[in-house]
Amino acid sequence: MWAFVIRRLIYMIPTVFIISLVSFIIIELPPGDYMTTLMASMAAEGGEMGQEEIEALRRIYGLDQPVYVRYINWMRNIITRWDFGYSFEWRAPVWDVMGSRLAMTVVISLASLLFSWVIALPTGIYSAVRQYSVGDYIFTFFGFLGLATPNFLLALVVMFLAHRYLGLSVGGLFSEQYQMAPWSLGKVVDLMKHIWIPMIIVGTASSASLLRITRANLLDELRKPYVETARAKGLRMWRVVLKYPVRIALNPFISSIGFVLPQLVSGSVIVGVVLNLPTTGPLLLRALQSQDMYLAGSFTLLLATMTVIGVLISDILLAWIDPRIRYD
Amino acid sequence: MSERPWNEDIGREREELLEEEQQLKVATPLQLMWWKFTKHRLAVAGLVVIILFYGVAVFADFLAPYPPHERTGYTFAPMNWPRFVTNDEGFTLRPRVYQMDSDIDPRSFRRVYEINDEISYPIEFFVRGGPSYKILGLFETDLRLFGVTHEEGEVFFLGTDRLGRDVFSRVLIGSRISLSVGLVGVFLSLLLGIFFGGLSGFFGGWVDNLIQRLIETVTSFPTIPLWMALAASLPDAWTPLQVYFGITVILSVVGWTTLARVVRGRFLSLRDEDFVLAAKFSGATEARIIRKHLVPSFTSHIIAALTLAIPQMIIAETSLSFLGIGLRPPIISWGVLLQQAQNVYAVSMAPWLLLPGLFVVVAVLAFNFVGDGLRDSADPYSTVKK
């Protein structure tokens, strides 16, 4: 078991390395750098910057060095000092700007993951056991619909309905009095009151795909002879189903974290923009638009790394739970 | 039951069954696939919808009642559908639209519309007017399928937007971009997928290992942040056409992994099949085996995977354009149209701005159904019944 965990950890190194490269490419991709944007905005305000001043700033931020040196510097600072660079727009270290936002993204993604499990498990079991029943058709219909609706569209529709019929504004994660307040029990309760809307919106698509997977797996399992044997021996239907096939059909729940998690993180980013949540979404979009590239690159780096860690955890869990998986 | 003696009935049934069996035995793989495909009613319905959508996209200029950039002067006007029964004319075979009276709300200073159900105007077919366009890129014409020629009459199937442009016409024109992004993007990812998947399956060993790691990394990236970052790096100075291709390239850079997996998987599993071995023993050349045996037996799977990849691309394009970092006006796509619905106040004032989203959902559903149907019918081991 431990050898397996360690090997998986070693496998992760090249993956994270590629991720860091891609993130750095993202930082370097836009033509020009932050200085260009800064000059443009200064010019728009009427101020001019001298060439020397610009060169001095470039030197301070290390923008005058060759690409690979900048990459190595960036990585070294992250690894040794947890320093992701400097956000030009916010005039603060990147980590200070994005730390709490990342945490919120994790909270929403995990809540949505839980939500999709809670929805997909019972409906998936029902759909498989009562195949072609009215309930199965209804769940299948909503499953397909959930898969076909882009996250942001669902968010817009929910926002519109809440505004029109309930007179509520559903944006944000906190009430006004808690927005700036430090963490307290009251704030957590307030968060719980607000989180369910983004949770449902982000979790819908993955609930739908998990529902399809559970249904398909359970159907395969239900057709096996041991189920018939158990039934023939007189066990009640639900007891048979819950005791054996469901347990086997549960494995994909864990293994599917691998592709569900990137989906959820993606979803929380775009839904965050629509609902204006204090998550990474709106900040990432702004950073990209204003070419605040260290912030944008660090976001992609950390979001992707978090996803890889999530997948790693799910692989380890799966190996631990499913006795059929060998560790070699 | 029937009036015939029972044995004759059974005899007839047996004859029919035998005939069916005969047909099954001589059917080509393509025929078998088609029979299996038509069994999926949803898949067939999806296929019909897709054909309809692409047909509309091709003839969008002709079908749209308004030129897509024309400002009608009615801003945020609600839907105004044609009807067969009107108060002033009673029942007519020619559909008519009511006049829309507009007024300024004294409190909010917003333009409000009221449908005046006393005056109606006829819809006319094959009307001329507006800027000319080219049908199929060949014939220049200014003919449109329908429209209202009377100055006071307007037909807005899906209302109008902030600038008074007809949303329905814009949805039709936008379908060109939105539906073709999927096709072009999928074609590019197919090339990438076949290249990497083929390399992986053909060489095996460390090449395979390396490419598998690469695929794993790309799939573990949350797609939207990556797409956002790549799309935001497209230069502002690019022409709409360049942006369009830039976006499709970005979509396929992220989307090729699934296809590469399918290609590799099929390649590996087919390499060890008995019929490939048999062909080899019979002296068939490598090229002949690939051409005659391998390619036909995995094209169907690839087509199924491609069909399932298209809706992902459509959703991705829509999401990016919605965020304002994908396609930008004056290009019209469904995502660009939805951009106007970003603001909850705009939406609460003009809920019809959300309706382009309905077209996205329907198109994606249709592709998903067809893809599922194809995947099932491409499986040679599932049983066929004609």
Side-chain angles (χ1 to χ4, degrees), chain B residues 216-237:
Chain B
E216 228 165 76
T217 313
V218 177
T219 41
S220 65
F221 250 105
T223 47
I224 290 201
L226 186 58
W227 274 325
M228 280 165 71
L230 293 175
S233 65
L234 296 182
D236 283 339

Side-chain angles (χ1 to χ4, degrees), chain A residues 4-15:
Chain A
F4 171 78
V5 172
I6 288 166
R7 199 172 40 248
R8 279 301 323 236
L9 278 173
I10 292 171
Y11 268 160
M12 230 180 86
I13 293 171
T15 313

Side-chain angles (χ1 to χ4, degrees), chain A residues 262-319:
Chain A
Q263 245 181 43
L264 291 174
V265 172
S266 273
S268 73
V269 166
I270 193 161
V271 170
V273 173
V274 179
L275 296 181
N276 196 16
L277 305 178
T279 59
T280 47
L283 209 58
L284 175 62
L285 185 63
R286 247 205 86 51
L288 287 168
Q289 282 166 342
S290 63
Q291 293 205 355
D292 189 356
M293 292 324 285
Y294 277 105
L295 185 57
S298 307
F299 265 135
T300 32
L301 174 70
L302 283 180
L303 285 176
T305 311
M306 269 167 22
T307 321
V308 172
I309 293 172
V311 175
L312 173 79
I313 294 174
S314 85
D315 275 1
I316 293 173
L317 273 181
L318 189 65

Side-chain angles (χ1 to χ4, degrees), chain A residues 20-64:
Chain A
S20 75
L21 270 187
V22 172
S23 306
F24 189 71
I25 291 172
I26 287 169
I27 294 178
E28 292 292 322
L29 255 185
D33 48 35
Y34 182 71
M35 288 304 126
T36 335
T37 324
L38 190 65
M39 270 154 60
S41 69
M42 290 290 271
E45 284 166 18
E48 285 288 328
M49 277 170 95
Q51 196 61 36
E52 282 165 35
E53 219 171 304
I54 293 165
E55 288 310 317
L57 276 172
R58 281 225 163 94
R59 215 165 14 252
I60 292 173
Y61 295 132
L63 294 173
D64 57 342

Side-chain angles (χ1 to χ4, degrees), chain B residues 41 83 123 132 153 162 179 181 224 232 279 290 299 323:
Chain B
R41 263 175 290 170
R83 43 196 108 204
I123 298 266
S132 54
R162 190 165 47 84
L179 293 174
V181 155
I224 290 201
I290 291 180
T299 34
L323 287 177

